[in-house]
Amino acid sequence: MSSEAFHTVGGELHVEDVPLAAIAARHGTPCYVYSRAALTDAYREFDQAFADMPHLVCYAMKANPALAILDLFARLGSGFDIVSGGELARVIAAGGDPRRVVFSGVGKSDDEMEAALRAGILCFNVESESELAHLGAVATRLGLRAPVSFRVNPDVDPRTHPYIATGLKESKFGVAFEAAPRLYREASTMPAIDVRGIDMHIGSQITELAPYREAVAKLLALVDALAADGIALSHVDVGGGLGVRYRDETPVAIADYAAAIRALMTGRRERLLLEPGRRLVANAGVLIARVRVLKRSGARNFAVVDAAMNDLIRPSLYDAWHSVQPVRASSGDALAYDIVGPVCESGDFLALDRRLPLAEGDLVAIGSAGAYAMSMSSNYNARPRAAEVLVDGRDVHLIRRRESYADLIAHESRLP
């Protein structure tokens, strides 16, 4: 699998000290399984890489907003990068400190701004001139000052999937690099706005250092230009986006990433903020599923499992690759299978052309499912969302129960 927390003992796949088959027997399938040790190790490696400089790690919780995971990271000292009022509510419910929250997102509503201001968040990452005006008006009405930074697009190509490249000038995110000085000057004159910092996020699943070096260098040059104009910033937020290994990628080592950032930040007065998401959780989780049907259609073999695109949409949406491994060793002959789900869509696949020894009723583990799996799941085809469990050594904690059919209709009503 994707992490040392997932390993084989006696031909059977385990998470920490627990067989995955035992989890499936107790909690059913499909089921997301996370390792506390893997989550903890990933956070500590990232945080400690910057231990010699003032910094705050703000977990980008859109990757996985499970309350138990937020609770774990909050206990480890994490801040949070949020993109909605709902995410702020989850941080608070999980025991997170709003004073360690940065609020990103291109479409913040006035109600979301008000909730964040009342909660006392660290900073709004402002993404448009219109947002600045709305935020100023909301803060004025409440008699508060809104702490802000601007999310600035450095127009650097992150060389990743186009759907997750976010720092180019044609992106919907952030403000144009050239417009930033004017916006900072405008913000600095607004009584209800407190200019705090600057922010960027160039994309996700980035596996090279060069885009970060170029983007951070441009950002710091802008910080210096603003200082010369009398606008001194207290923090620099370099975003997130570090890639992970799904198949054969060579992710940037955390130590190398930290060294590159440190080389650019050495001697500066600004506090460093970072927004890792995928890098902290992706390889700390798997999705277990059971083979329902094996069938042959034309020249292709299909393994129909009980997980589907509503549980893991990344293969359909991004053509993403996730490992698939039998939970228990099989002596059967391996064949090339397309691993598909029961959803009524031709795009409902989890993996294509995987050579595996399978029989109906077998369990499979789909790797790297800790990020953008449950967080992007849905009830398409009226499918209840899966259970989530977190393993801590020999202990298995159910952190989200499986939805029931009653849950699916609980918020609806028939016509009178």
Side-chain angles (χ1 to χ4, degrees), residues 269-328:
R269 58 177 293 277
E270 300 88 7
R271 183 190 193 192
L272 176 66
L273 270 59
L274 307 110
E275 301 172 1
R278 184 194 314 263
R279 188 61 178 254
L280 301 187
V281 296
N283 288 336
V286 299
L287 173 63
I288 50 177
R290 192 175 296 276
V291 178
R292 286 183 175 172
V293 173
L294 296 177
K295 62 178 288 188
R296 186 171 183 84
S297 180
R300 303 191 75 85
N301 297 308
F302 294 94
V304 185
V305 300
D306 58 5
M309 65 186 295
N310 75 295
D311 302 299
L312 179 61
I313 199 172
R314 295 188 70 256
S316 299
L317 185 62
Y318 301 125
D319 197 27
W321 194 97
H322 287 257
S323 65
V324 180
Q325 182 175 330
V327 168
R328 287 178 170 149

Side-chain angles (χ1 to χ4, degrees), residues 365-395:
I366 302 161
S368 304
Y372 303 108
M374 184 55 162
S375 67
M376 298 180 76
S377 65
S378 74
N379 294 125
Y380 187 47
N381 279 195
R383 286 173 50 85
R385 282 182 289 183
E388 292 179 284
V389 302
L390 191 147
V391 176
D392 182 6
R394 296 180 180 178
D395 297 327

Side-chain angles (χ1 to χ4, degrees), residues 123 145-149 187 190-197:
C123 196
R145 296 191 76 206
V148 305
S149 65
M190 298 172 66
I193 297 296
D194 179 14
V195 176
R196 294 274 185 89

Side-chain angles (χ1 to χ4, degrees), residues 237-251:
D237 186 338
V238 298
L242 272 182
V244 302
R245 182 181 177 89
Y246 287 100
R247 185 180 188 181
D248 54 7
E249 302 92 339
T250 303

